[in-house]
Amino acid sequence: MNITSFEFALFFAVILPLNWLLRSRAGAYRLFLLLASYIFYASFNAKFLLILLVFSFLTWFFAVVFAETSDARFRRFCLILYVGFSLGMLIFFKYYEMLYISADWLFRVLSFTSPVPLLDVIMPIGISFFTFQGMSYAIDVYRDPAKVERSLVEVFCFISFFPTILSGPILRAGSFLGQLKKEQVGQVDFTRAFYLLTRGLIKKIIISSYLSEHIVRVTFGAPEGYSSAAVAVGILSYTMQIYCDFSGYSDLAQGIGLLMGFDIPDNFNAPYTSLSLRDFWRRWHITFSTWLRDYLYISLGGNRKGTGRKYVNLVTTMALGGLWHGAAYNFLVWGFIHGFGLIGAHMAGEYRATRLAAREAGRQEALKAAGGLPEPAAGPGVGSALWNAACWTVTFAYVNVAWVFFGAEDAGKAVDILRRAVALDPTGATFRPTCLVLVAVVLLVQLLHLTGRDFFRKSFEWLPFPAQGLALGLAAACILKLGPDGVLPFIYFQF
């Protein structure tokens, strides 16, 4: 039941009125929401529901143990047990084949027969997201027992909430459970919800699907058959495709959540306007990057143990973050690229801050020696504008190169794509100008902060709610008509 499908539209048309009819009945509402989430999840594969149930129960159980037990050693043992199970489950379903291939190669090198059987393991959809979501709640309770939620149904609702279970955003229990407990919800901003739904559909069905179908798949699949310019446009197109695809899903999840009375956190904030890689990760997949910061980077020691250890922690965090995306070495390479890039961004930022501080100190000393008063700080100036332009160019180019490893079939294919892009060879198939136009539009919308939110609100808010719903339905039908036949699944469904 793809979230952009007609089947989901029918499903949600039934769920939404029941959501508001039952909202004031706390017990019935929680059971209804849980059942709706399980029906949605089981529509992909009912067998996966058992895995979700087991993980949800163990998350609830261990969180209660963390809250009720005062013995520090036993609590630590239980935490290791819970994290070990959660990660073990994730590793088994996501990385079994990758680990088997690696182990089999090693045993063959050592002239041994591999004792590990090759199993046909099917990865449950959304396992990366609901695992991280549940782990965040249990670890929060371990750190602060007052955050425990003893209601089994409420914890199950949090982990399985259907708008976010497949591709996020990754929710935090403190925010979601507080909203779940509200029997009376304030005025729903229907106009904002419809805006998010419309924007998400345009991003996914029109832009992402078009770029994927007309340039990304062909240039990434066979770069040798295309000119260097076409491959370069293909790289830029994938950069925009993955943004529109993933942020489009986040928009849809937020819009659906708003209609149900839930405020789902933002997951993207114009990431391609970033002036450094540090800034990029404050804007891209925000709920994931903050999860890595709060539960992995800080747990490894963060920046508390010196500069060298901080850099090791950065690379380790990003490498594991890369592997989280999939069982392939190209994701690991992508993680390392961002890890070492973050080291460079930290070093450049610290160097520039030191230079600016020294320059300001020298200026103040000179004014003091001359007996004058400190001058007011100067405006941005041409130098700052050029610096910002250079920082943006380097960051955007670096992110594009990294995305090639993320989107390519494997690391070797990624190298072939990059080599072809810089070969300056005009021979081979070219690209459709429409692809470059879409790339420019997506980039300019971010750089110029053209959200269109105010225009949408002025166009919609004067309509009564039923008319708004009808207008949204007509807009969705037009968007589906403009998109290609058979819209591809969201990229992040595979993670």
Side-chain angles (χ1 to χ4, degrees):
M1 194 190 301
N2 196 317
I3 201 170
T4 58
S5 68
F6 181 68
E7 291 80 4
F8 179 81
L10 292 177
F11 167 78
F12 192 62
V14 174
I15 293 300
L16 186 58
L18 290 174
N19 176 82
W20 290 109
L21 285 172
L22 297 172
R23 188 75 195 228
S24 60
R25 303 177 183 180
Y29 177 70
R30 288 158 178 72
L31 289 173
F32 154 75
L33 186 60
L34 184 61
L35 179 62
S37 296
Y38 284 167
I39 290 173
F40 174 75
Y41 189 74
S43 69
F44 293 93
N45 190 327
K47 296 178 181 178
F48 296 157
L49 190 57
L50 178 61
I51 298 167
L52 177 61
L53 284 166
V54 171
F55 173 75
S56 299
F57 175 79
L58 289 176
T59 299
W60 169 82
F61 174 79
F62 276 101
V64 172
V65 170
F66 297 152
E68 297 291 340
T69 306
S70 57
D71 187 302
R73 294 179 64 183
F74 182 70
R75 292 178 80 247
R76 192 178 301 111
F77 169 76
C78 289
L79 178 66
I80 293 171
L81 198 63
Y82 170 74
V83 172
F85 168 79
S86 302
L87 295 181
M89 179 185 72
L90 190 62
I91 289 169
F92 175 76
F93 285 107
K94 283 194 71 168
Y95 307 106
Y96 183 86
E97 183 177 357
M98 176 184 176
L99 294 175
Y100 170 83
I101 293 172
S102 301
D104 184 65
W105 172 83
L106 180 60
F107 280 118
R108 282 191 284 106
V109 169
L110 298 175
S111 300
F112 290 112
T113 301
S114 175
V116 182
L118 177 59
L119 303 176
D120 186 16
V121 178
I122 301 175
M123 185 183 73
I125 191 168
I127 188 171
S128 298
F129 289 91
F130 71 70
T131 301
F132 271 32
Q133 197 156 290
M135 288 178 65
S136 71
Y137 163 67
I139 294 172
D140 282 346
V141 175
Y142 176 82
R143 292 172 175 174
D144 182 4
K147 295 181 177 180
V148 68
E149 174 53 62
R150 289 179 170 79
S151 170
L152 181 72
V153 174
E154 290 190 13
V155 173
F156 277 36
C157 283
F158 162 67
I159 294 175
S160 63
F161 188 51
F162 74 87
T164 63
I165 189 172
L166 299 183
S167 292
I170 301 173
L171 304 177
R172 297 293 178 98
S175 173
F176 179 84
L177 293 176
Q179 297 180 70
L180 181 63
K181 294 177 187 296
K182 292 181 179 179
E183 296 181 9
Q184 298 295 329
V185 180
Q187 180 65 36
V188 174
D189 190 346
F190 290 107
T191 305
R192 178 169 177 254
F194 291 158
Y195 164 75
L196 288 167
L197 292 172
T198 304
R199 187 174 72 174
L201 289 172
I202 290 173
K203 285 180 178 179
K204 169 59 183 174
I205 296 176
I206 295 180
I207 302 176
S208 175
S209 296
Y210 185 91
L211 292 175
S212 174
E213 181 176 327
H214 292 288
I215 191 166
V216 174
R217 282 192 290 173
V218 290
T219 54
F220 274 45
E224 66 280 357
Y226 290 82
S227 67
S228 295
V231 175
V233 172
I235 293 172
L236 288 169
S237 296
Y238 182 74
T239 296
M240 302 308 161
Q241 179 202 345
I242 194 169
Y243 165 74
C244 289
D245 193 282
F246 193 17
S247 70
Y249 184 92
S250 296
D251 289 342
L252 292 172
Q254 282 187 291
I256 292 168
L258 272 177
L259 291 177
M260 296 178 66
F262 291 92
D263 189 9
I264 295 174
D266 292 332
N267 217 14
F268 293 88
N269 181 21
Y272 296 144
T273 64
S274 303
L275 300 183
S276 71
L277 213 54
R278 296 173 67 182
D279 189 29
F280 176 79
W281 279 105
R282 297 188 188 105
R283 297 171 175 272
W284 177 272
H285 204 344
I286 298 168
T287 58
F288 175 66
S289 60
T290 53
W291 196 102
L292 290 178
R293 179 198 65 197
D294 295 344
Y295 301 105
L296 183 55
Y297 177 71
I298 290 176
S299 298
L300 291 171
N303 58 2
R304 302 188 302 273
K305 299 183 179 181
T307 303
R309 179 64 179 273
K310 178 181 76 171
Y311 292 160
V312 170
N313 292 340
L314 280 172
V315 173
T316 303
T317 298
M318 295 310 301
L320 293 175
L323 271 181
W324 174 86
H325 286 86
Y329 289 110
N330 54 306
F331 293 117
L332 182 62
V333 172
W334 176 80
F336 274 120
I337 289 173
H338 275 277
F340 287 111
L342 282 171
I343 290 177
H346 275 264
M347 294 176 67
E350 291 162 4
Y351 174 75
R352 180 166 171 78
T354 302
R355 286 286 303 273
L356 290 175
R359 185 183 304 168
E360 179 62 20
R363 191 178 69 87
Q364 295 294 336
E365 286 294 329
L367 287 169
K368 184 177 179 181
L373 296 174
E375 298 176 358
V382 176
S384 294
L386 291 175
W387 171 260
N388 289 341
C391 289
W392 177 83
T393 303
V394 171
T395 302
F396 184 67
Y398 194 88
V399 168
N400 271 267
V401 171
W403 278 137
V404 175
F405 287 89
F406 192 95
E409 178 183 334
D410 51 49
K413 178 68 76 172
V415 173
D416 292 340
I417 294 168
L418 291 171
R419 184 182 293 120
R420 183 62 182 166
V422 299
L424 302 180
D425 186 352
T427 60
T430 185
F431 60 91
R432 295 190 180 191
T434 313
C435 297
L436 193 56
V437 170
L438 286 176
V439 168
V441 167
V442 176
L443 189 57
L444 286 174
V445 163
Q446 291 191 48
L447 291 175
L448 300 178
H449 303 287
L450 303 175
T451 63
R453 186 181 295 116
D454 293 337
F455 173 79
F456 191 93
R457 183 172 293 278
K458 291 176 181 178
S459 302
F460 254 64
E461 64 183 359
W462 61 274
L463 293 172
F465 172 67
Q468 289 186 19
L470 179 61
L472 176 64
L474 291 173
C478 292
I479 292 168
L480 289 169
K481 186 67 177 177
L482 288 171
D485 294 332
V487 178
L488 293 172
F490 287 89
I491 292 173
Y492 267 67
F493 276 15
Q494 63 183 300
F495 305 138

